[in-house]
Amino acid sequence: MSPLTVRAVRAYLPDAGGGADYHDQPAGHWIDDHIASPMAKYAEYRASRQSFGLHLLGTVVVEVEASDGTVGFAPTTGGEPAAWIVENHLAKLVEGAPVTELERIWDRMFLSTLHYGRKGLALNAISGVDLALWDLAGKLRGEPVHALLGGAVRDELVFYATGPRPDVARDLGFIGGKVPLRHGPAEGEAGIARTVAALAQLRDAVGPEFWLMLDCWMSLDVRHAARLAHALDAVGLRWLEEPLLPDDYWGHAALRKRLPAGMLLSSGEHEATRYGFRLLLELGAVDILQPDVGWCGGLTELLKISALADAHGALVVPHGSSVYSYHFVATRHNSPFAEFLMMHPDGTEVVPMFRPLLLDEPVPRGGRLAVSELDRPGFGVRLDPSCELRRPYRRPSP
Ligand SMILES: C[C@H](O)[C@H](O)[C@@H](O)[C@@H](O)C(=O)O
Ligand SMILES: [Mg+2]
């Protein structure tokens, strides 16, 4: 019997916001409420990250159809430009390939886009195709992706929650709460004082044992980050996250040496491929790597990043990406917990992270998720038919 091949690759855009581009939310959502960013040095862009376009790309849904009609899919961030890359470039390299050749397909997608890729949008597009191929592989075998990855090393996943209410996260059973930094260097000492007061209040609310983390979303410089970290020493932060520009590997390494004892440094959600993460590891820049499986190159690349990190004794706790990272976390010894992004508008309820895109999207209950809840073929989720999709770069069927 001839091997199954990829018959078609398609890229769709949902008509609704949210989904994989979870920053694409209506006004008033906590995730766009005065959160520090590199653009906050410009006062007009300080109150909202949407004001400088953080939400503009939107979600892209990639489908890969096998020659027997089976379809795998995955969403990621990238919107219409990513759809163009998938339909007008990557599809040329993927259509006709045996569905089992994920490594060779990945290599061809990465090498053929080097002249405009390496990181960012092109790697988001490659990640979407790669994740859709893993979903297809599971569906063809009738196995959940975690089984294809060598099987679970734990029976349940435990989660920390990212959002504005770590007090609610604690009551919901999460192991920790990560809050966004709101005041960057442009707000000077007054900004530091406001952050210290807010975090001290949160520490009082959650008690001494509950993990508290601060996500700085690339907004600081080494000097300000070191000053802020020491001002927060009494709060007992578990880690300081992504304080500097992602390309400032050297700054991360210098800052890590200047943090208070016991405060870890995490980064990586805007990094891509084993090459970028190798630089973070070899410079001793981070304690915890946080690749996003929809942005770093997909699951095929995340496995390489994970093995490299493991050899360096670093943890890999993927940036919130719903089921697309849960199957991975379930199977990796150096991924002891996972992130859950609280996408409810005020962060007080657990709702599916990629809503309104998916059906059967599992969510933590009591801050935990049994691996058995992932035991459906592929990534175990379906597209919600009520979420309209359009295909802007439709090509004639092969
Ligand atoms: C909450 C943070 O500001 C980001 O919006 C979030 O997407 C990311 O940095 C995270 O770690 O979840
Ligand atoms: Mg982050």
Side-chain angles (χ1 to χ4, degrees):
M1 188 172 113
S2 55
L4 287 179
T5 56
V6 176
R7 178 156 68 195
V9 180
R10 298 182 287 267
Y12 296 92
L13 308 179
D15 61 354
D21 191 356
Y22 54 83
H23 287 113
D24 183 12
Q25 297 293 339
H29 195 286
W30 72 264
I31 208 160
D32 199 45
D33 176 16
H34 199 294
I35 291 175
S37 80
M39 284 288 282
K41 69 164 92 167
Y42 303 106
E44 63 270 38
Y45 297 115
R46 205 167 289 166
S48 150
R49 293 185 292 184
Q50 287 191 7
S51 69
F52 63 77
L54 176 56
H55 64 307
L56 290 180
L57 276 180
T59 295
V60 61
V61 175
V62 179
E63 273 191 351
V64 286
E65 181 182 337
S67 41
D68 70 349
T70 307
V71 175
F73 83 94
T76 187
T77 305
E80 188 149 347
W84 188 97
I85 294 171
V86 170
E87 294 261 14
N88 292 290
H89 191 171
L90 302 180
K92 294 180 191 308
L93 300 144
V94 182
E95 287 171 352
V99 297
T100 52
E101 294 192 354
L102 279 73
E103 280 289 347
R104 180 147 50 179
I105 290 170
W106 194 93
D107 195 45
R108 286 174 173 173
M109 290 195 291
F110 179 63
L111 297 181
S112 66
T113 54
L114 277 179
H115 56 295
Y116 67 88
R118 298 178 53 240
K119 296 178 194 291
L121 189 58
L123 265 289
N124 289 21
I126 289 171
S127 301
V129 174
D130 183 72
L131 289 167
L133 286 166
W134 278 98
D135 188 46
L136 176 64
K139 286 170 176 172
L140 288 170
R141 289 169 175 78
E143 295 262 32
V145 169
H146 65 74
L148 307 185
L149 297 177
V153 299
R154 54 183 60 87
D155 297 330
E156 68 174 9
L157 306 183
V158 295
F159 292 83
Y160 74 87
T162 297
R165 296 293 303 276
D167 54 325
V168 172
R170 185 203 55 179
D171 296 343
L172 288 170
F174 288 97
I175 59 170
K178 181 170 79 181
V179 296
L181 175 69
R182 298 191 184 284
H183 310 291
E187 299 182 58
E189 284 299 319
I192 289 178
R194 293 179 69 178
T195 301
V196 171
L199 269 291
Q201 206 171 3
L202 288 175
R203 175 53 74 199
D204 288 346
V206 299
E209 301 308 317
F210 187 68
W211 292 2
L212 271 182
M213 293 75 80
L214 182 63
D215 191 328
C216 305
W217 210 75
M218 309 174 278
S219 61
L220 308 178
D221 55 61
V222 174
R223 191 198 61 75
H224 191 96
R227 169 88 186 80
L228 177 65
H230 283 275
L232 289 168
D233 193 13
V235 171
L237 288 182
R238 186 85 176 168
W239 70 74
L240 191 71
E241 181 163 326
E242 204 184 24
L244 310 176
L245 296 183
D247 291 323
D248 189 1
Y249 306 100
W250 304 272
H252 279 85
L255 174 63
R256 185 169 175 236
K257 294 188 182 93
R258 294 172 58 177
L259 293 181
M263 187 185 293
L264 302 178
L265 198 154
S266 73
S267 196
E269 72 185 67
H270 296 103
E271 189 51 80
T273 81
R274 72 204 85 148
Y275 305 104
F277 287 94
R278 176 183 175 187
L279 207 42
L280 282 170
L281 290 164
E282 291 193 357
L283 288 171
V286 291
D287 299 285
I288 302 174
L289 291 178
Q290 299 169 304
D292 184 298
V293 71
W295 305 344
C296 71
L299 187 51
T300 302
E301 193 65 3
L302 182 56
L303 291 169
K304 296 180 172 74
I305 294 163
S306 173
L308 201 55
D310 202 8
H312 281 79
L315 297 183
V316 176
V317 182
H319 170 250
S321 34
S322 189
V323 287
Y324 299 96
S325 53
Y326 298 167
H327 286 256
F328 164 84
V329 169
T331 66
R332 298 300 111 175
H333 294 288
N334 62 327
S335 298
F337 52 90
E339 176 181 12
F340 185 75
L341 257 157
M342 299 289 276
M343 293 317 299
H344 184 272
D346 56 20
T348 53
E349 290 176 40
V350 171
V351 297
M353 186 184 158
F354 280 3
R355 72 174 184 169
L357 196 61
L358 302 174
L359 293 179
D360 310 325
E361 183 181 5
V363 295
R365 294 284 173 231
R368 283 152 172 70
L369 180 70
V371 173
S372 57
E373 287 211 41
L374 303 174
D375 285 350
R376 288 187 294 268
F379 288 106
V381 289
R382 294 173 290 149
L383 285 166
D384 187 330
S386 65
C387 192
E388 292 286 321
L389 296 176
R390 65 186 176 88
R391 187 182 173 194
Y393 300 102
R394 182 177 300 277
R395 290 171 293 126
S397 304

